[in-house]
Amino acid sequence: MRFNSATSSDGVREQMFILGDIPGVLWTAEGAAGTRPLILMGHGGGQHKKAPGIVARARRFVAECDFAVAAVDVPGHGDRPKDEEYDRIATENQARVDAGEDLAPLIAGFQALVARQTVPEWRAVLDAVQDLVYVGAGPVGYWGVSLGCGLGVPFVAAEPRVRAAVLGLGGALASAQAAARITVPVEFLLQWDDERVPRAQGLALFDALASTEKTLHANPGRHGEIPAFELDSALRFFARHLGR
């Protein structure tokens, strides 16, 4: 892992890094020392590691809970080079939607393909970040909705260090089999009027989770209209399960 810039404001330090070909960002408290919980955040489709929503959540997780937070660009996003195969599939999918095909199965297939790359990448990022003396091998949480859910469900299912996850805006077509292997506490966000993920698919994904503690937060609104107060709930959820 190589850090290439660092800034601080309002008690939060932000460090940009590269791990192999993976660009990422790490937020910690200024002067952080010793082991602390770590949250990996997955951004949405068409976004990047420093999308405004990611930054806002990360800074609150650090400032209010003293967590460390990491986010990386998924393939084809942010500072990563364009991926010809992913671009081709995305173009073909758009053409199929324009021709009248259902969007949900196309999204599911694309996310399953990308997850084969991102799951091992994210595990490598966790290894590197937890090697830092001011993060350490503490408990890990995961936050991700939309694309961050489609890629996050297989990651949480594969990574035993994750103790709790906030997921949502995803459907069972993409992730039901992996969801059945998740047993950690989950807070699941669903937008009742989601135009991208059919309501039944979101409910089916929640139902597929094998967690004995799982909570469904359903709010009115479209795909990108998660209420701001859900961040307050996520803070309480992670503080409870990660012990900070």
Side-chain angles (χ1 to χ4, degrees):
M1 172 181 281
R2 175 172 56 86
F3 290 101
N4 47 34
S5 72
T7 59
S8 295
S9 64
D10 299 323
V12 178
R13 180 173 60 168
E14 177 184 287
Q15 297 174 280
M16 307 297 292
F17 67 81
I18 294 287
L19 178 66
D21 297 326
I22 309 166
V25 56
L26 173 67
W27 293 272
T28 55
E30 288 185 15
T35 300
R36 66 201 57 250
L38 167 66
I39 296 177
L40 180 67
M41 300 188 70
H43 64 72
Q47 298 184 2
H48 54 84
K49 61 186 177 298
K50 287 193 65 179
I54 294 290
V55 174
R57 291 177 178 90
R59 293 186 65 86
R60 285 194 64 186
F61 287 146
V62 173
E64 298 180 32
C65 298
D66 197 23
F67 295 156
V69 182
V72 300
D73 290 327
V74 304
H77 291 68
D79 293 325
R80 298 188 76 152
K82 295 295 184 182
D83 187 292
E84 292 184 2
E85 180 184 10
Y86 294 160
D87 284 351
R88 176 184 59 78
I89 294 171
T91 300
E92 290 177 355
N93 284 351
Q94 185 59 55
R96 292 166 69 181
V97 170
D98 293 343
E101 286 195 42
D102 185 7
L103 177 62
L106 302 178
I107 291 176
F110 181 72
Q111 290 180 351
L113 175 65
V114 179
R116 295 173 196 160
Q117 179 176 350
T118 56
V119 169
E121 286 186 349
W122 291 357
R123 298 183 83 174
V125 168
L126 281 188
D127 289 343
V129 172
Q130 288 195 317
D131 275 345
L132 300 170
V133 295
Y134 50 90
V135 178
V140 175
Y142 177 83
W143 186 99
V145 299
S146 194
L147 178 64
C149 177
L151 304 180
V153 168
F155 168 71
V156 174
E159 179 47 69
R161 286 173 288 186
V162 174
R163 295 190 185 178
V166 175
L167 302 163
L169 308 187
L173 284 175
S175 308
Q177 288 186 334
R181 301 195 303 273
I182 292 177
T183 59
V184 300
V186 173
E187 193 165 276
F188 192 89
L189 308 181
L190 183 141
Q191 287 300 102
W192 205 246
D193 309 297
D194 196 321
E195 76 283 7
R196 294 180 61 83
V197 180
R199 184 187 305 164
Q201 283 294 314
L203 292 171
L205 178 55
F206 175 76
D207 190 51
L209 293 163
S211 307
T212 56
E213 180 183 335
K214 57 181 180 179
T215 306
L216 176 67
H217 289 200
N219 292 287
R222 291 165 64 83
H223 189 76
E225 297 175 347
I226 295 175
F229 60 72
E230 288 294 355
L231 175 52
D232 298 327
S233 181
L235 283 162
R236 293 190 298 268
F237 174 80
F238 283 126
R240 184 167 70 251
H241 290 293
L242 303 184
R244 196 73 171 183

